[in-house]
Amino acid sequence: MSNPFAWLAEPLDSSQPAKKFFNLNKLGDARYGRLPFSIRVLLEAAVRNCDEFLVKKEDVENILNWSVMQSKNVEVPFNPARVILQDLTGVPAVVDFAAMRDAVKKLGGDPEKINPICPADLVIDHSIQVDFNRRSDSLQKNQELEFERNKERFEFLKWGSRAFHNMKIIPPGSGIVHQVNLEYLARVVFDQNGYYYPDSLVGTDSHTTMIDGLGVLGWGVGGIEAEAVMLGQPISMVLPNVFGYKLMGNPHPLVTSTDIVLTVTKHLRQVGVVGKFVEFFGPGVAQLSIADRATIANMCPEYGATAAFFPVDEVSIKYLIQTGRDEEKIKHIKNYLVAVGMFRDFNNSAQDPDFTQVVELDLHTVVPCCSGPKRPQDKVAVSEMKKDFETCLGAKQGFKGFNVAPDRHSDRVKFVHNGSDFELTHGSVVIAAITSCTNTSNPSVMLGAGLLAKKAVDAGLTVKPYIKTSLSPGSGVVTYYLRESGVMPYLAQLGFDVVGYGCMTCIGNSGPLPEPVAEAITQGDLIAVGVLSGNRNFEGRIHPNTRANYLASPPLVIAYAIAGTIRIDFEIEPLGVNAEGKEIFLKDLWPTRDEIQAVEHQYVIPGMFKEVYQKIETVNESWNALDAPSDTLYTWNPKSTYIKSPPFFENLTLELEPPKSIVDAYVLLNLGDSVTTDHISPAGNIARNSPAARYLTSRSLTPREFNSYGSRRGNDAVMVRGTFANIRLSNKFINKQAPQTIHFPSGETLDVFDAAERYKQAGHPLIVLTGKEYGSGSSRDWAAKGPFLLGIKAILAESYERIHRSNLVGMGVIPLQYLPGEDAESLGLTGRERYTIVIPEELAPRMKVQIKLDTGKTFQAIMRFDTDVELTYFRSGGILNYMIRKMAS
């Protein structure tokens, strides 16, 4: 159908009449100039894509009327300009596409219809592990092992790049998806099909929000939802509140961008911005580089918002020049954004739009800090770290407690490593990793770490040899400027050699600890510590042996590595003693902002970015040598333990069956608050005594060949067995942390998968009881697919993380929410009851449903299908079923 707003289209430049843009100023509506800049992006997409079918004039009016409609729970469509994926979520997406092609063909349709319409970029960055470190050949060895373990997955992805149009794959060894996006993939403004329009995206990784720092609106969605966007479906979203976050003042010279983001994270967690957009404004923004802004935007999921938007300004344009973008394109980017009213001057308060609420932060109040020991929002000032950790030791088990008896706080365990004697105690640092796009994208903190390393080496300080140190940059540009500036040899001397280009320690691919270290930790039941420059430190994520994990800036990672313990007060205790017996304090080594900026201006130059990125798709010879077919339909290998056709569509028919009530369901798990997607679907190592390990062993694999759960997301048989397999899972049915539950008909305590199988064989449906923030953490579609395959029909929670709730909807698992003021305790639920959830014929968004127990008790809960579109997906049995029927009919 024709676009009713076609009259808004006009040339941007009279010399190029064929290249047009939708001039929203021609609407002549004063409301446009008061909209938050992030909402202007939604409006432009709605205007440009208006067809009176998927996007209607009414939707445009609702967005334009944001100041009124934001409180009305109104649903609007959004067509992102592109989709970005990483390999852990990208492999299952391509597996789903391959299986959907099979299903469409089986139903009599054209399998070629299953093809990305929306451009998609997939960056392979989540597969490499820190198997080798502190060696000159660590990078080569880790990359060789990565290909050895993942050859099958990589061949499958290469097939996908050939079989599907409009999909670009960035090979392994190139960098981290969000940093590559920031430095290379981001268009800022699209120039396509004769039109200019804002770059925007959704990604299958929760930290997709990092690109918001460059003024590109983007956020993480479930892999299932991203697949629908790739097939041309708009995202259906509730028109969000937009909190204005006003930054004022200048940061203290010793404060890093990491300190700022950890401060913002704690602050916004306290404010409460879950499901909302945050838009930054105020004169303080102008003081922040794009790298600083991207660091703050990166941790948006940790403070719970959907997006963390910094509109494009002059600093953004300078960044595009610095990173070697095409000059002519940069000129059009600025001209377009000025013409459409989306270019920002943060020092001009007359440009400040309306916001739902304004929150302020004076950057001068930020102090050096870390976050931990178990959550990214638990900020601790560096000056308080020693005291805070020692308080946590004795506090009761929880986010800030380890329940260690007072008489054990000074326990020490001696061990021998490479022929030398050492000892560990509570608080000993055993992992120190400069990792993650959150920080490695930022030259100021990376060069700061390098300069601190140089000063430390010159002062005669070292890092104990048993500490697992590593440096995993987010792109080759980082290595380039660290090498050119002369700091790389000093980093290497302290053990921070480049071990790979990828997420690595940040997602739990930290590799094994030295055996004597692991044994000493286990023997003494010690609270050992990991310190990393990452964005997540949930229990059980970084490494099974590090029960305390702290997020810190790269310079602080080095400082704690040198100290060897978290139990140090840098203000009054020396970092170490050199060979001459002189005490060296952290303040003696810490580089000033002026020092760092002088080096950055000299060595971080456009030529580096051009040289690295012009060959990014061809530089990996191992990838180039991979052979892969290009057939329309994928030929599944029944012997594969990596890639397997999923069972989601086996019994799919064109006809819809009405949803049925869930009758006499057992509770598989009774969980508490902040159950993360790491608890539900771990990405890390596969424990040797787990159901997944038993399955792989039955397929003749040795433990060395198990690889990680994340690498096996293309195989449902492994992933369903890995669901709720986190060793730190706290299930109220049993009195310890373990991936186990009680099978109530028999009374046996079993692994979660084994219990679910027993229930399934007996024909019993299952539900899960849980608390607040269920599904927080990384965007993982398998955290919804796994429960679905276990036979879980519904989750009953106090609240949900946004992306995970949408993933549950996408799989047809019902997200139920207690009524305000109610929870399992107030309702007297033990989880040992059997539950009947009454699903009425007439469904409405966020409607209340009756839940009946076999005890005779009845209560109500909210069925968290928030929009009519989500109800449509539910009636179809999930979003993928809906798309298959649509493509096959």
Side-chain angles (χ1 to χ4, degrees):
M1 296 179 69
S2 61
N3 188 331
F5 295 99
W7 61 277
L8 294 177
E10 62 179 43
L12 178 65
D13 184 337
S14 58
S15 66
Q16 294 181 302
K19 292 196 171 185
K20 300 180 179 181
F21 77 108
F22 282 82
N23 188 349
L24 301 183
N25 294 303
K26 283 169 63 176
L27 289 167
D29 196 314
R31 293 175 296 179
Y32 178 61
R34 302 307 309 156
L35 289 178
F37 282 63
S38 51
I39 298 299
R40 296 180 199 190
V41 178
L42 300 185
L43 178 67
E44 191 282 337
V47 164
R48 179 168 36 88
N49 291 288
C50 188
D51 60 359
E52 288 294 8
F53 176 58
L54 289 173
V55 184
K56 300 179 179 179
K57 284 180 73 175
E58 180 187 358
D59 298 317
V60 172
E61 171 58 27
N62 284 338
I63 299 172
L64 196 53
N65 200 26
W66 170 84
S67 63
V68 174
M69 302 308 291
Q70 60 163 319
S71 60
K72 305 287 187 185
N73 209 42
V74 66
E75 174 189 352
V76 295
F78 175 52
N79 293 80
R82 59 190 173 99
V83 173
I84 197 161
L85 311 100
Q86 38 89 340
D87 56 300
L88 290 199
T89 50
V91 166
V94 178
V95 166
D96 287 347
F97 269 39
M100 289 169 77
R101 280 190 169 181
D102 291 343
V104 167
K105 186 173 189 293
K106 184 180 173 183
L107 292 174
D110 178 7
E112 282 276 8
K113 284 187 176 180
I114 301 294
N115 207 78
I117 296 167
C118 183
D121 301 310
L122 192 158
V123 181
I124 301 174
D125 66 349
H126 275 56
S127 299
I128 191 165
Q129 300 185 35
V130 191
D131 290 287
F132 295 91
N133 69 312
R134 292 191 174 225
R135 296 170 46 142
S136 59
D137 61 351
S138 294
L139 173 62
Q140 179 189 339
K141 288 284 189 184
N142 288 328
Q143 288 183 336
E144 287 172 357
L145 259 180
E146 177 188 22
F147 262 83
E148 182 185 319
R149 288 171 174 144
N150 296 285
K151 184 169 182 280
E152 207 176 317
R153 296 171 66 241
F154 293 168
E155 286 174 342
F156 175 70
L157 285 175
K158 200 160 190 179
W159 166 80
S161 69
R162 293 173 174 175
F164 297 107
H165 313 303
N166 230 2
M167 180 186 286
K168 178 190 288 186
I169 293 189
I170 304 296
S174 304
I176 302 174
V177 57
H178 308 305
Q179 189 163 338
V180 173
N181 192 19
L182 186 74
E183 296 175 352
Y184 173 63
L185 295 172
R187 284 76 153 176
V188 183
V189 170
F190 259 77
D191 173 6
Q192 194 158 306
N193 301 325
Y195 285 94
Y196 292 107
Y197 53 93
D199 187 5
S200 61
L201 69 152
V202 291
T204 57
D205 188 284
S206 50
H207 295 104
T208 298
T209 53
M210 184 169 182
I211 203 63
D212 291 343
L214 186 56
V216 176
L217 184 62
W219 62 86
V221 296
I224 303 155
E225 197 173 1
E227 291 167 33
V229 173
M230 288 164 71
L231 293 171
Q233 294 293 296
I235 281 178
S236 178
M237 60 186 294
V238 174
L239 192 63
N241 294 158
V242 182
F243 276 44
Y245 199 86
K246 187 173 186 179
L247 296 176
M248 300 169 295
N250 291 307
H252 188 277
L254 298 182
V255 161
T256 67
S257 58
T258 315
D259 303 319
I260 295 171
V261 71
L262 296 180
T263 301
V264 169
T265 298
K266 181 172 184 179
H267 186 197
L268 285 177
R269 269 286 172 189
Q270 291 169 336
V271 170
V273 292
V274 173
K276 299 170 174 50
F277 282 9
V278 174
E279 185 168 310
F280 292 83
F281 75 111
V285 177
Q287 307 302 314
L288 300 176
S289 68
I290 292 302
D292 290 341
R293 298 176 194 183
T295 299
I296 294 168
N298 177 284
M299 285 191 70
C300 174
E302 281 64 55
Y303 42 88
T306 300
F309 193 63
F310 290 83
V312 175
D313 70 341
E314 205 59 56
V315 175
S316 317
I317 299 300
K318 288 176 181 173
Y319 177 81
L320 295 177
I321 295 168
Q322 182 193 32
T323 50
R325 263 56 172 230
D326 181 85
E327 289 182 18
E328 194 65 21
K329 288 182 179 178
I330 294 172
K331 186 179 80 171
H332 288 137
I333 286 168
K334 183 172 181 180
N335 289 345
Y336 167 76
L337 293 171
V338 169
V340 81
M342 294 188 194
F343 195 78
R344 192 74 162 91
D345 177 358
F346 289 105
N347 288 310
N348 181 5
S349 60
Q351 267 197 356
D352 293 351
D354 295 334
F355 292 113
T356 307
Q357 182 179 327
V358 171
V359 184
E360 297 183 354
L361 175 68
D362 183 347
L363 292 171
H364 194 69
T365 64
V366 177
V367 298
C369 57
C370 300
S371 277
K374 301 181 186 182
R375 294 191 305 182
Q377 63 262 42
D378 293 331
K379 185 193 79 162
V380 186
V382 170
S383 59
E384 298 291 320
M385 279 287 285
K386 179 178 182 179
K387 179 182 174 184
D388 186 80
F389 178 80
E390 291 176 347
T391 301
C392 289
L393 268 184
K396 70 175 184 178
Q397 188 71 38
F399 298 124
K400 295 287 287 184
F402 295 102
N403 202 30
V404 176
D407 61 351
R408 288 196 49 236
H409 287 197
S410 299
D411 284 3
R412 296 179 181 276
V413 179
K414 295 184 183 300
F415 67 99
V416 177
H417 175 71
N418 290 344
S420 297
D421 294 329
F422 298 97
E423 66 178 21
L424 293 178
T425 185
H426 297 296
S428 291
V429 173
V430 295
I431 290 177
I434 299 176
T435 181
S436 172
C437 52
T438 309
N439 287 291
T440 69
S441 61
N442 195 323
S444 66
V445 292
M446 296 302 290
L447 288 168
L451 291 171
L452 187 144
K454 181 181 185 304
K455 292 183 180 188
V457 170
D458 289 346
L461 298 181
T462 60
V463 174
K464 293 181 177 67
Y466 62 80
I467 296 176
K468 186 152 195 182
T469 46
S470 61
L471 167 58
S472 49
S475 81
V477 174
V478 179
T479 308
Y480 205 140
Y481 66 67
L482 290 177
R483 187 175 62 238
E484 292 297 306
S485 63
V487 298
M488 186 64 92
Y490 299 98
L491 287 162
Q493 206 165 323
L494 292 179
F496 291 92
D497 309 85
V498 173
V499 294
Y501 297 94
C503 299
M504 304 189 88
T505 300
C506 190
I507 57 153
N509 285 357
S510 43
L513 291 176
E515 201 66 42
V517 174
E519 287 173 0
I521 293 169
T522 304
Q523 178 190 333
D525 194 22
L526 298 176
I527 310 299
V529 175
V531 184
L532 66 151
S533 64
N535 47 44
R536 296 238 164 102
N537 55 342
F538 300 126
E539 215 174 1
R541 178 185 176 96
I542 305 306
H543 193 282
N545 290 123
T546 59
R547 284 153 68 185
N549 296 283
Y550 288 91
L551 307 182
S553 66
L556 278 175
V557 170
I558 293 177
Y560 281 113
I562 294 169
T565 179
I566 215 78
R567 297 167 83 169
I568 180 172
D569 184 343
F570 290 129
E571 300 282 329
I572 58 174
E573 295 178 70
L575 196 58
V577 179
N578 67 12
E580 288 76 44
K582 181 186 176 185
E583 292 185 337
I584 309 295
F585 289 83
L586 183 57
K587 63 186 177 186
D588 302 327
L589 309 179
W590 199 268
T592 66
R593 177 162 295 173
D594 288 343
E595 280 181 86
I596 295 168
Q597 287 181 347
V599 176
E600 183 177 348
H601 289 151
Q602 184 176 353
Y603 293 104
V604 184
I605 56 176
M608 287 182 177
F609 291 88
K610 287 179 180 176
E611 185 175 334
V612 168
Y613 282 113
Q614 69 186 5
K615 56 189 179 184
I616 191 170
E617 292 179 55
T618 57
V619 73
N620 191 316
E621 292 300 331
S622 298
W623 174 263
N624 297 341
L626 284 179
D627 189 31
S630 57
D631 305 338
T632 299
L633 298 178
Y634 184 70
T635 304
W636 305 96
N637 179 1
K639 294 181 180 178
S640 174
T641 56
Y642 278 104
I643 306 297
K644 178 177 174 289
S645 181
F648 306 135
F649 317 123
E650 284 178 354
N651 301 312
L652 187 66
T653 61
L654 285 173
E655 296 75 35
L656 282 179
E657 288 188 13
K660 298 174 183 175
S661 295
I662 300 167
V663 180
D664 281 341
Y666 280 96
V667 176
L668 180 63
L669 293 158
N670 188 1
L671 307 172
D673 295 339
S674 295
V675 173
T676 70
T677 51
D678 282 291
H679 290 114
I680 306 167
S681 184
N685 69 306
I686 297 172
R688 297 187 181 191
N689 59 348
S690 65
R694 292 195 290 273
Y695 168 79
L696 292 171
T697 301
S698 75
R699 301 296 299 269
S700 302
L701 269 68
T702 64
R704 184 179 173 275
E705 299 168 306
F706 286 174
N707 211 333
S708 64
Y709 282 113
S711 69
R712 293 196 178 271
R713 286 182 181 164
N715 186 321
D716 63 273
V718 174
M719 296 309 296
V720 68
R721 287 167 172 80
T723 304
F724 295 110
N726 191 312
I727 60 171
R728 300 296 176 200
L729 184 72
S730 294
N731 177 12
K732 295 177 185 177
F733 290 150
I734 59 177
N735 296 318
K736 60 179 181 179
Q737 288 186 327
Q740 295 180 320
T741 194
I742 295 175
H743 175 253
F744 287 111
S746 68
E748 292 180 65
T749 297
L750 302 171
D751 287 328
V752 172
F753 171 77
D754 296 333
E757 280 294 287
R758 291 248 197 119
Y759 284 124
K760 188 185 292 186
Q761 289 163 8
H764 297 310
L766 298 170
I767 68 168
V768 169
L769 301 184
T770 185
K772 300 179 183 72
E773 298 176 354
Y774 179 74
S776 56
S778 301
S779 159
R780 289 192 184 157
D781 56 346
W782 268 107
K785 289 175 176 175
F788 170 81
L789 291 178
L790 285 179
I792 293 168
K793 304 297 183 185
I795 309 288
L796 179 54
E798 291 178 57
S799 63
Y800 292 90
E801 194 276 338
R802 176 186 60 83
I803 299 174
H804 185 63
R805 187 198 63 81
S806 76
N807 270 337
L808 292 172
V809 171
M811 286 309 299
V813 177
I814 302 173
L816 296 169
Q817 188 165 314
Y818 294 104
L819 298 183
E822 293 185 354
D823 55 24
E825 187 176 355
S826 70
L827 292 169
L829 308 180
T830 66
R832 296 170 182 267
E833 311 88 351
R834 295 184 70 176
Y835 291 66
T836 293
I837 300 159
V838 181
I839 309 296
E841 287 185 22
E842 295 294 322
L843 300 175
R846 297 181 72 101
M847 71 181 298
K848 294 175 184 174
V849 294
Q850 292 282 339
I851 300 178
K852 301 175 180 177
L853 309 185
D854 61 346
T855 60
K857 183 180 183 65
T858 300
F859 63 97
Q860 287 187 318
I862 301 164
M863 193 157 62
R864 283 293 309 278
F865 297 118
D866 289 358
T867 66
D868 286 321
V869 171
E870 289 186 347
L871 283 172
T872 300
Y873 295 154
F874 174 59
R875 291 187 187 98
S876 297
I879 192 171
L880 301 184
N881 291 357
Y882 169 81
M883 292 303 303
I884 289 170
R885 289 190 177 101
K886 182 179 177 182
M887 297 292 182
S889 57

